[in-house]
């Protein structure tokens, strides 16, 4: 009897365990590598050997200068945090200067795969950071998460499967994100409360939202001056699998580029294709807090949220959108979110390329200029007034904005 | 029986988290020298006299405790401070005392074998030292041997299976986690540097049971010449004891608990400053302590909830979810616990429920 019970139990357990198991020769370098991180002198290269390495705890680097952590190649060196039981991120780097991460894969941390905080001069290149299997809500939040950093370069890397953002940079200063591939994340690339940011040459596809530039209240610094150019932003129609409450949980699937409550932004020479809800969305924080509150369109009530921080301006200003190529082969907007449904009612057969929530304290002051973007479908939602003055007319916004000349020196 | 074990093994290997269990993990070394030049044994510090495990303080070592201590998986803690001879700390009204260079703070972590007999047999796990090196404090952790005769320096951290009988007679067991040296800084960070957390005036301001009877700790420190430039006693601040309603209102006790468990990170000088959530008991802005505040970068730690604290509704508050969770991607604090602090959670829950909405 006991035998049958046990066998049944085994069968049940095996059946319930899914079929994703990879039969790899996993090894552990955990204790040794953590010791190395602690004892390494400044100006060292820490080489990660080729192989598949399993970790059970966060691995931490703190207070070091001029350190390179280098694998044998993204396909050769794989660090897995699938069995992690302790710590909120896979690899965490804090209070450092001049750090380079390159040539390895990091995957499946329950929290963030790589978090870097309070660090100057950071380079990440030829790294793959992802969650294996189907994208799901239980995936960790950020594949790359530099926050409160200065001089950040993320290039030639891959981010996939993040339940928040693939490449997220927050409250940082002087950032270049270029030539990366981001897919199957809720947000492909997200720059939040950061200033002097360049996002170019990236491929953002099959995320919920491709590239987001946001400014949120109540934080240590506010963002401004960001250029988003020469990116391919394609088919970002993936379901939103972010846990509710997070700001990206409010991003409608089918969003190519989204600008929220931020200023001095230049968007140019991007190819924005087949994003079902909108190619480019420009919104105020009022809209997000309304969506986030779960109280429908009680915008007035939620405008209060942003007012908790007097320094914060919830309305987008000084945006210049020019020479982009918008294209959408979908006749109908996605029907999976409120915006799609709204667009279907208001603009059947021509989903907007550029949509503005229309919320601003003074609608005579233009927050943005649009020029040389070809034939575009535009929508001004007038969301603050129950969409009463909703319009597709955009001639008022046909103007020359200010180009951002300043080059970032890292 | 044999099949029982087999079933258990298959369970472990087939179903560990994330459906991706390795069959077997071979530990490999990277080679090279990773030792650090520090005292390898706790006894070399000469902090205690006689049998090490009795924590009998050597001359110059003074025991102390806190009004509301950090929860660390129900461990008991025996704390001592050792100032260099003839030196005193500078009193500070709100922050940790300014200790002179070479001050050592000692914290021993142990479980009584039976919580109903806390003075009885105990299992000592680790002893953490914070040493003031002038520029910065250094953190060293010593892990005790099973014989309880000595503790050895461990910089990379360690897991120790441990069990005890709790206050209601239940056997508890966990894989107790000794932090690695960098993890110390996960909590002990203030503007990027390691600092002590506990010895503030408000945490020390109460009677401690010294060998010669109960005395107020601040008063005792002054008498012993360990503290100078101190304010008059009527100005000494006090933090409520989280579990003693005699010492403060529900609000004061909940805020004390949040301060010691959260505010080492969640303050303007701490590593969680990027979240805009500030949990020092002295923070007075509703939004900063999370009331109707949306999360910034909580990831799935938000658990599908929209605000840090929803007054009157603990079940809708992200803060409750995170202090309850045991999932490393969601739980708060991020390190230092494997268990829920049942009583602390109940306190915060009551505090949010009673809040005017």
């Amino acid at each position: 009897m006991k035998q049958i019970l046990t066998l049944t139990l085994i069968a049940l357990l095996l059946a319930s365990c899914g079929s994703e198991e990879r039969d790899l020769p996993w090894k552990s370098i955990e204790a040794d590598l953590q010791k190395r991180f602690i004892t390494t002198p400044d100006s060292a290269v820490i080489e990660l050997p080729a192989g598949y390495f399993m970790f059970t705890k966060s691995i931490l680097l703190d207070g070091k200068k001029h350190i390179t952590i280098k694998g044998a190649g993204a396909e050769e060196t794989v660090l897995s945090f699938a069995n992690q039981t302790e710590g909120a991120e896979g690899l965490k780097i804090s209070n450092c200067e001049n750090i380079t991460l390159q040539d390895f894969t990091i995957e499946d941390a329950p929290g963030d795969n790589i978090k870097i905080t309070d660090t100057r001069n950071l380079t990440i290149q030829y790294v793959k950071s992802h969650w294996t299997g189907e994208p799901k809500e239980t995936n960790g939040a950020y594949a790359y998460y530099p926050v409160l950093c200065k001089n950040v370069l993320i290039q030639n890397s891959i981010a996939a499967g993040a339940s928040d953002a693939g490449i997220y940079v927050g409250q940082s200063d002087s950032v270049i994100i270029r030539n990366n591939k981001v897919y199957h994340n809720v947000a492909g690339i997200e720059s939040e409360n950061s200033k002097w940011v360049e996002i170019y040459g990236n491929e953002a596809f099959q995320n919920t939202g491709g590239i987001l530039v946001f400014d949120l209240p109540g934080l240590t610094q506010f963002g401004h001056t960001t250029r988003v150019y020469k990116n391919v932003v394609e088919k970002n129609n993936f379901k939103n699998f972010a846990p509710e409450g997070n700001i990206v949980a409010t991003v409608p699937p089918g969003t190519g580029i989204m600008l929220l409550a931020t200023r001095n932004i230049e968007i140019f020479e991007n190819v924005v294709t087949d994003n079902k809800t909108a190619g480019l969305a420009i919104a105020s924080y009022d809209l997000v807090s309304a969506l986030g509150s779960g109280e429908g369109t009680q915008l007035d009530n939620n405008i209060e949220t942003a007012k908790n921080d007097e320094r914060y301006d919830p309305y987008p200003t000084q945006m210049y959108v020019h020479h982009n190529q918008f294209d959408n082969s979908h006749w109908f907007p996605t029907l999976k979110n409120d915006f799609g449904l709204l667009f279907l009612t208001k603009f059947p057969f021509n989903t907007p390329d550029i949509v503005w929530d229309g919320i601003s304290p003074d609608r005579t002051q233009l927050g943005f200029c649009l020029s040389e973007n070809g034939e575009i479908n535009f929508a001004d939602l007038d969301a603050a007034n129950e969409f009463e003055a909703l319009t597709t007319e955009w001639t008022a916004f046909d103007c020359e904005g200010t180009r951002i000349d300043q080059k970032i020196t890292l | 029986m044999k099949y029982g074990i087999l079933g258990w093994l298959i369970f472990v290997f087939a179903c560990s988290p994330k459906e991706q269990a390795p069959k077997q993990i071979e530990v490999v070394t990277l080679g090279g020298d990773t030792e650090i030049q520090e005292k390898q044994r706790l006894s070399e510090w000469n902090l205690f006299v006689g049998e090490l495990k009795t924590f009998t303080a050597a001359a110059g070592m003074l025991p102390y405790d806190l009004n509301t201590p950090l929860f660390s998986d129900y461990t008991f803690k025996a704390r001592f401070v050792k100032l260099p001879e003839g030196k005193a700390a500078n009193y500070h009204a709100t922050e940790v005392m300014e200790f002179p260079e070479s001050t050592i703070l000692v914290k021993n972590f142990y479980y009584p074998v039976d919580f109903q007999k806390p003075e009885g047999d105990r299992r000592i796990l680790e002893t953490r030292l914070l040493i003031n090196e002038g520029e910065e404090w250094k953190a060293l952790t010593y892990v005790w041997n099973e014989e309880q005769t000595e503790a050895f320096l461990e910089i990379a951290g360690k897991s120790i299976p441990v069990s005890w009988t709790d206050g209601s007679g239940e056997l508890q067991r966990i894989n107790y986690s000794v932090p690695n040296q960098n993890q110390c800084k996960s909590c002990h960070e203030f503007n990027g540097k390691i600092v002590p957390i506990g010895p503030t005036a408000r945490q020390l301001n109460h009677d401690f049971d010294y060998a010669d009877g109960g005395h107020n700790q601040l008063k005792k420190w002054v008498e012993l010449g360990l503290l100078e430039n101190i304010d008059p006693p009527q100005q000494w601040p006090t933090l409520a004891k989280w579990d003693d309603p005699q010492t403060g209102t529900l609000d004061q006790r909940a805020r004390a608990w949040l301060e010691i468990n959260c505010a080492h990170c969640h303050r303007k000088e701490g590593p969680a400053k990027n979240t805009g959530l500030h949990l020092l008991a002295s923070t007075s802005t509703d939004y900063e302590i999370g009331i109707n505040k949306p999360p910034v970068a909580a990831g799935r730690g938000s658990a599908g909830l929209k605000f840090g604290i929803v007054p009157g509704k603990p079940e809708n508050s992200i803060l409750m979810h995170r202090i309850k969770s045991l999932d490393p991607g969601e739980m708060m604090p991020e390190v230092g616990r494997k268990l829920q602090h049942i009583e602390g959670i109940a306190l915060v829950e009551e505090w949010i429920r009673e809040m005017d909405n």
Side-chain angles (χ1 to χ4, degrees):
Chain A
M1 185 60 197
K2 191 183 267 179
Q3 205 167 334
I4 293 165
L5 270 176
T6 308
L7 289 172
T8 312
L9 181 71
I10 292 168
L12 278 172
L13 287 168
L14 289 177
S16 65
C17 286
S19 54
E20 284 180 35
E21 193 171 330
R22 292 192 300 188
D23 196 16
L24 294 173
W26 291 102
K27 294 181 177 178
S28 173
I29 49 172
E30 183 165 2
D32 222 30
L33 188 61
Q34 180 58 69
K35 261 187 200 166
R36 178 67 52 88
F37 275 23
I38 292 167
T39 57
T40 189
D42 289 343
S43 306
V45 177
I46 297 175
E47 296 210 20
L48 305 169
Y52 300 99
F53 302 107
M54 192 63 83
F55 291 81
T56 63
K57 298 177 180 181
S58 294
I59 182 147
L60 310 173
L61 184 75
D62 184 89
K64 302 287 184 186
K65 292 176 180 170
H66 298 278
I67 301 289
T68 297
I69 301 168
K70 190 178 185 304
E75 301 301 318
E76 277 71 41
T77 301
V78 178
L79 315 180
S80 170
F81 287 80
N83 285 351
Q84 187 177 3
T85 57
E86 202 183 306
E89 51 281 305
L91 172 60
K92 183 176 177 187
I93 294 170
S94 47
N95 306 301
C96 287
E97 279 178 39
N98 295 83
I99 300 296
T100 299
L101 309 178
Q102 63 181 62
D103 300 310
F104 60 87
T105 288
I106 181 165
E107 61 189 36
D108 292 332
D112 312 311
N113 270 348
I114 303 178
K115 180 174 179 179
I116 306 106
T117 175
D118 298 281
T119 290
R120 286 175 75 98
N121 305 344
L122 167 73
T123 299
I124 297 174
Q125 56 193 359
Y126 306 105
V127 173
K128 181 176 185 182
S129 175
H130 71 139
W131 281 266
T132 56
E134 278 293 299
K136 51 193 174 298
E137 187 176 320
T138 50
N139 284 0
Y142 305 110
Y144 305 93
Y145 180 8
V147 62
L148 302 163
C149 290
K150 188 165 163 59
N151 299 346
V152 174
L153 171 62
I154 301 176
Q155 62 182 357
N156 305 108
S157 291
I158 293 172
S163 70
D164 200 307
I167 300 176
Y168 172 98
V169 54
Q171 298 169 63
S172 293
D173 177 354
S174 301
V175 177
I176 295 176
I177 297 169
R178 67 183 174 208
N179 305 335
N180 302 289
K181 279 187 190 172
V182 294
Y183 55 92
H184 289 174
N185 307 285
V186 175
I189 296 172
E190 182 176 3
S191 171
E192 198 167 271
N193 291 59
S194 293
K195 54 192 182 186
W196 311 113
V197 181
E198 301 261 306
I199 300 171
Y200 65 92
N202 301 286
E203 288 176 55
F205 55 97
Q206 292 169 19
N207 305 284
T208 304
I211 298 176
L212 318 180
V213 182
F214 281 16
D215 222 47
L216 305 182
L219 304 179
T220 61
Q221 78 167 42
F222 297 109
H224 62 76
T225 316
T226 295
R227 302 202 302 177
V228 178
Y229 59 99
K230 294 184 177 166
N231 300 286
V232 175
V233 184
E234 198 176 39
K235 295 178 185 157
N236 291 287
N237 302 316
F238 206 83
K239 68 182 177 197
N240 192 324
F241 60 103
E244 223 178 315
N246 290 297
I247 191 94
V248 298
T250 62
V251 174
T255 304
I257 300 173
M258 186 167 176
L259 308 178
L260 178 84
T262 180
R263 67 217 60 256
N264 201 24
I265 311 293
E266 190 180 355
I267 310 284
F268 61 100
E269 295 174 37
N270 298 287
V271 175
V272 184
T273 312
D274 293 342
N275 302 286
K276 281 188 181 180
T277 298
L280 168 66
I282 301 174
S284 67
Y285 189 70
D286 298 350
L287 185 74
V288 168
S289 44
L291 293 168
S293 74
E295 287 166 27
T297 54
Q298 289 186 349
L299 280 159
D300 291 341
N301 186 26
N302 294 286
I303 289 170
E304 290 305 311
T305 313
K307 285 186 182 158
N308 277 297
D309 192 334
E310 287 167 7
R311 304 161 301 160
Y312 180 69
D313 177 358
Y315 310 105
T317 45
Q318 263 184 286
M319 318 227 153
Y320 186 25
V321 181
H322 62 93
H323 294 96
N324 297 287
Q325 184 189 321
F326 290 96
D327 198 4
N328 192 347
S329 61
H330 298 285
W331 278 26
F332 300 104
T334 175
L335 302 181
K336 288 178 181 164
N337 63 66
D338 293 347
F339 291 97
L341 290 169
L342 176 74
F343 297 158
L344 183 69
T345 336
K346 303 292 180 180
F347 330 100
F349 308 114
N350 56 356
T351 308
D353 295 312
I354 300 177
V355 58
W356 175 44
D357 67 2
I359 305 172
S360 99
D362 176 3
R363 286 182 51 96
T364 59
Q365 276 201 326
L366 299 183
F368 54 93
C369 280
L370 310 176
S371 74
E372 304 288 341
N373 295 300
E375 292 275 313
I376 51 164
N377 294 318
F378 176 79
D380 166 358
L381 298 181
D382 192 26
N385 303 305
E386 305 275 332
F387 314 109
E388 272 178 24
L390 183 143
T391 174
T392 58
E393 188 53 60
W394 62 278
T395 47
F397 300 98
D398 187 357
C399 51
E400 288 282 318
T402 316
R403 297 197 66 141
I404 298 168
D405 288 332
Q406 178 107 13
K407 294 276 186 294
I408 296 170
T409 46
L410 293 184
Chain B
M1 190 59 206
K2 189 171 74 180
Y3 286 103
I5 289 169
L6 179 65
W8 183 80
L9 283 175
I10 289 176
F11 173 76
V12 167
F13 287 128
C15 280
S16 45
K18 293 282 167 93
E19 309 151 357
Q20 229 201 58
K23 295 284 186 294
Q24 207 170 25
I25 299 183
E26 179 197 347
V27 175
V28 290
T29 61
L30 296 168
D33 182 22
T34 54
E35 288 309 314
I36 54 171
Q37 298 304 312
E38 298 289 350
K39 295 183 175 70
Q40 296 295 311
R41 294 162 179 258
L42 180 62
S43 57
E44 292 172 50
W45 287 91
N46 297 316
L47 299 168
F48 302 106
V49 291
E51 257 193 298
L52 203 56
K53 69 176 181 185
T54 62
F55 303 148
T56 310
M61 287 263 287
L62 185 70
Y64 70 98
D65 69 6
L66 307 179
N67 273 319
T68 291
L70 172 77
F71 172 75
S72 310
D73 285 339
Y74 292 104
T75 51
F76 284 53
K77 298 167 187 175
R79 298 176 184 79
F80 297 85
V81 57
K82 185 184 183 191
L83 273 69
E85 216 180 324
K87 295 273 173 113
N90 233 330
Y91 175 82
H92 201 292
T94 55
E95 298 300 339
V96 169
M97 306 300 176
E98 288 167 38
F99 289 100
E101 191 167 342
S102 302
T103 297
I104 304 176
L105 295 170
V106 183
K107 189 155 64 165
N108 304 289
F109 291 71
Y110 64 93
Y111 287 103
V113 171
D114 183 348
F115 275 36
Q116 289 165 345
K117 297 172 196 153
E119 306 297 327
D121 287 348
R122 62 190 178 188
R123 169 77 191 275
I124 310 165
L125 298 166
E126 54 168 329
T127 296
R128 300 184 194 169
L129 306 185
L130 268 184
I131 303 136
N132 186 347
E133 297 194 317
E135 282 283 292
E136 192 163 4
W137 291 72
K138 180 169 67 189
L140 296 176
T141 298
Y142 292 84
V143 175
W144 285 68
N145 59 10
E146 284 202 41
E147 299 76 34
Q148 305 278 280
T149 54
E150 182 63 278
F152 298 89
L153 182 66
E154 181 55 72
I155 61 168
K158 198 169 187 176
S159 293
I160 307 173
V162 59
S163 64
W164 67 92
T165 305
D166 72 14
S168 52
E170 296 274 327
L171 185 70
Q172 300 286 344
R173 48 172 100 232
I174 60 167
N175 231 350
Y176 179 85
S177 183
V178 176
N180 71 52
Q181 199 174 48
N182 283 350
Q183 275 176 308
C184 298
K185 204 166 172 180
S186 300
C187 295
H188 285 270
E189 183 181 332
F190 188 94
N191 287 334
K193 292 190 166 181
I194 289 191
V195 294
I197 298 167
T200 59
R202 61 189 183 280
Q203 281 280 22
L204 294 172
N205 188 10
H206 64 271
D207 280 0
F208 181 85
D209 197 10
Y210 294 98
D212 63 345
H215 301 284
N216 181 283
Q217 293 189 109
L218 290 173
K219 215 172 143 205
K220 183 82 171 179
W221 286 34
V222 173
E223 281 168 15
L224 292 172
L226 302 180
L227 202 52
E228 55 191 24
N229 299 324
I230 190 166
D231 290 336
Q234 61 272 20
Q235 290 175 23
W236 296 347
T238 310
L239 193 69
K241 293 186 191 223
W242 73 277
D243 57 349
D244 182 357
Q246 304 287 329
T247 65
T249 61
L250 173 62
D251 181 64
Q252 287 165 336
R253 288 183 293 120
R255 293 295 301 274
W257 189 92
L258 289 170
E259 167 163 315
I260 196 66
N261 284 288
C262 316
H264 44 80
C265 287
H266 282 283
R267 58 179 298 169
K268 290 185 170 68
E269 304 83 358
K273 57 185 174 287
N274 65 302
T275 62
L277 182 69
H278 301 301
L279 292 170
L280 280 173
S282 55
T283 307
S284 58
T285 315
D286 282 357
Y287 190 74
E288 285 186 351
I289 64 172
I291 294 177
N292 294 322
K293 177 188 179 299
V296 171
R300 62 195 179 87
S302 71
L305 303 170
K306 288 166 184 162
F307 300 107
I309 293 172
V310 180
K313 295 184 175 164
E315 67 283 5
N316 291 349
S317 302
I318 295 170
L319 188 139
M320 283 310 306
H321 170 72
R322 301 199 85 171
I323 64 174
K324 278 184 185 173
S325 176
L326 295 176
D327 177 326
E330 302 181 348
M331 64 189 283
M332 287 287 158
E334 291 178 344
V335 293
R337 77 176 172 90
K338 300 258 175 182
L339 298 171
Q340 291 186 332
H341 186 198
I342 305 288
E343 302 78 7
I345 290 166
L347 174 73
V348 177
E349 193 161 26
E350 193 188 348
W351 174 65
I352 296 177
R353 188 173 292 119
E354 304 269 299
M355 233 179 244
D356 290 335
N357 57 10

